[in-house]
């Protein structure tokens, strides 16, 4: 069994990003990312901080808007519009989920699709569906695909089961894997909470991608011998033996599944580091496009 080292693959991606930033800076262009957070959710604050830190680390421009939970939808959209018009910003990300009085879809629709590095704007969803490479793709599925490519795991002709059908992970993951080209050309099945006999469906997978948000839901009987398992899940479960009182676990029962696998990602240290690596890469790609560098 091979452990797919997301941290190492993310570092490799960051090294390429750092070089790309240096090259752009030599031409007078500094890729810029703006992250907007509404409310004080500690996990979201941690994500925003790590994105800001990574931007600085790579030599990018970073703007952080941390707004009170009472911020109105109109005020949030006004900030998005300012960022749309700011030539120093090439990527805009509004941290999800916003407070319940804000319609997330309306906010995403307000982002200039050319700066929508999260790939949630309808135009970018359409481009992914059409196979148009000019769009942006959600960073987590893009990171999963990169993990497979970098690990030399062939997707062409493989039976891949994607467990979960969210707009953030499952659906774009399936579209990426069925697209033509490297990291694609797979025969994809998408499973969800209404799927009949889930373990049997998952056992058809040469590659199983779990993104459901249920701690250790995927057990040994979901996985055929020699399969590759990508665990997208990040779940907090109580663990009072630890000072922080919880531990992070994936959607896969790692201890019993790993021995059956050809390769598997750990949690943490698998998909997580790739999400931020792809966000940085997409922001750099956006800066290149704005400068008409392709
Ligand atoms: P959502 O809650 O939006 O979607 C979950 C999906 O899983 C739904 O399609 C749902 O089915 C399906 N599902 C839920 N329970 C079951 C079940 N018992 N059996 C079968 N299918 C089920 O979650 P996300 O896609 O946003 O996130 C999934 C996981 O990935 C979470 O743990 C999240 O924290 C993690 N994540 C990790 C990221 C990273 O950077 N590594 C980034 C984003 C997410 P249905 O549609 O029928 O309700």
């Amino acid at each position: 069994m091979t452990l797919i080292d997301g941290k190492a693959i993310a570092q490799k991606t960051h090294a390429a990003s750092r070089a790309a930033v240096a090259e752009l800076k030599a031409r007078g262009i500094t890729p810029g990312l703006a992250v907007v957070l509404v409310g004080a959710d500690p996990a979201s604050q941690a994500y925003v901080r790590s994105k800001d830190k990574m931007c600085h680390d790579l030599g990018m421009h970073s703007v952080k808007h941390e707004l009170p939970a009472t911020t109105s939808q109109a005020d949030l959209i006004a900030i998005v519009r300012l960022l749309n018009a700011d030539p120093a910003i090439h990527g805009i990300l509004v941290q999800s989920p916003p407070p319940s009085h804000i319609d997330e879809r309306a906010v995403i629709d307000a982002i200039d699709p050319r700066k929508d590095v999260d790939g949630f704007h309808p135009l970018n969803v359409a481009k992914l569906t059409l196979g148009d490479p000019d769009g942006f793709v959600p960073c987590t599925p893009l990171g999963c695909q990169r993990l497979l490519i970098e690990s030399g795991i062939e997707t062409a002709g493989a039976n891949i089961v994607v467990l979960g059908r969210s707009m953030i992970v499952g659906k774009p993951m399936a579209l990426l894997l069925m697209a033509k080209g490297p990291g694609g050309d797979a025969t994809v099945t998408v499973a969800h909470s209404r799927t009949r006999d889930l373990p049997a469906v998952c056992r058809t997978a040469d590659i199983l991608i779990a993104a459901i948000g249920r701690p250790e839901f995927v057990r040994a009987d979901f996985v055929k011998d020699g399969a590759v398992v990508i665990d997208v899940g990040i779940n907090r479960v109580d663990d009072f033996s630890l000072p922080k009182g919880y531990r992070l676990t994936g959607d896969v029962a790692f201890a019993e599944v790993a021995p059956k696998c050809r390769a598997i990602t750990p949690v943490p240290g698998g998909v997580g580091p790739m999400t931020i690596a792809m966000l940085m890469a997409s922001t750099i790609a956006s800066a290149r496009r704005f400068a008409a560098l392709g």
Side-chain angles (χ1 to χ4, degrees):
M1 184 273 293
T2 305
L3 199 60
I4 299 175
D5 186 346
K7 270 193 205 160
I9 297 171
Q11 283 310 325
K12 190 175 163 190
T13 310
H14 287 313
S17 291
R18 200 172 281 113
V21 171
E23 193 204 314
L24 282 170
K25 281 178 136 176
R27 296 170 181 255
I29 304 153
T30 302
L33 175 68
V35 182
V36 184
L37 172 65
V38 184
D41 173 61
S44 296
Q45 284 174 326
Y47 287 136
V48 169
R49 266 197 305 274
S50 63
K51 286 164 188 166
D52 184 51
K53 185 177 170 301
M54 189 51 73
C55 279
H56 289 294
D57 211 46
L58 298 179
M60 292 165 57
H61 174 54
S62 169
V63 172
K64 219 174 12 151
H65 287 278
E66 297 198 59
L67 308 173
T70 50
T71 303
S72 70
Q73 181 170 314
D75 285 349
L76 177 58
I77 289 178
I79 288 176
V80 166
R81 296 225 162 95
L82 284 175
L83 295 168
N84 283 344
D86 184 346
I89 296 299
H90 306 98
I92 301 170
L93 186 154
V94 179
Q95 189 67 43
S96 181
S100 56
H101 66 276
I102 290 177
D103 174 3
E104 190 171 14
R105 186 33 71 191
V107 177
I108 290 168
D109 287 355
I111 298 175
D112 181 341
R114 295 170 306 163
K115 298 188 177 185
D116 168 43
V117 284
D118 250 347
F120 297 156
H121 189 283
L123 191 73
N124 286 315
V125 176
K127 284 186 173 180
L128 174 60
T129 311
L130 290 165
D132 179 341
D134 284 344
F136 290 109
V137 178
C139 300
T140 300
L142 201 57
C144 293
Q145 186 188 47
R146 181 67 70 90
L147 282 179
L148 292 170
I149 294 171
E150 291 285 336
S151 305
I153 295 161
E154 185 56 83
T155 53
N159 291 327
I160 303 187
V161 175
V162 178
L163 189 42
R165 57 174 164 179
S166 73
M167 288 306 297
I168 297 177
V169 190
K171 218 179 268 184
M173 186 77 254
L175 286 166
L176 274 177
L177 293 166
M178 75 171 87
K180 290 188 175 179
D185 289 322
T187 304
V188 182
T189 302
V190 180
H192 46 76
S193 67
R194 305 296 299 272
T195 299
R196 227 181 300 131
D197 199 353
L198 202 52
V201 171
C202 291
R203 277 195 304 273
T204 65
D206 302 313
I207 302 172
L208 175 63
I209 301 183
I212 55 173
R214 300 271 180 270
E216 305 189 348
F217 182 87
V218 173
R219 311 299 300 252
D221 65 327
F222 282 57
V223 178
K224 79 170 170 192
D225 284 330
V228 172
V229 174
I230 305 290
D231 188 354
V232 182
I234 301 180
N235 309 291
R236 274 187 185 198
V237 294
D238 289 344
D239 187 339
F240 299 109
S241 69
L242 298 172
K244 54 188 177 185
Y246 69 88
R247 67 188 160 86
L248 290 182
T249 184
D251 289 343
V252 176
F254 185 90
E256 63 180 76
V257 169
K260 298 185 78 175
C261 294
R262 182 181 136 209
I264 185 169
T265 58
V267 177
V271 174
M274 291 307 292
T275 297
I276 190 160
M278 300 322 288
L279 175 66
M280 299 296 132
S282 290
T283 305
I284 295 163
S286 176
R288 290 184 63 83
R289 280 181 209 159
F290 271 96
L293 294 170

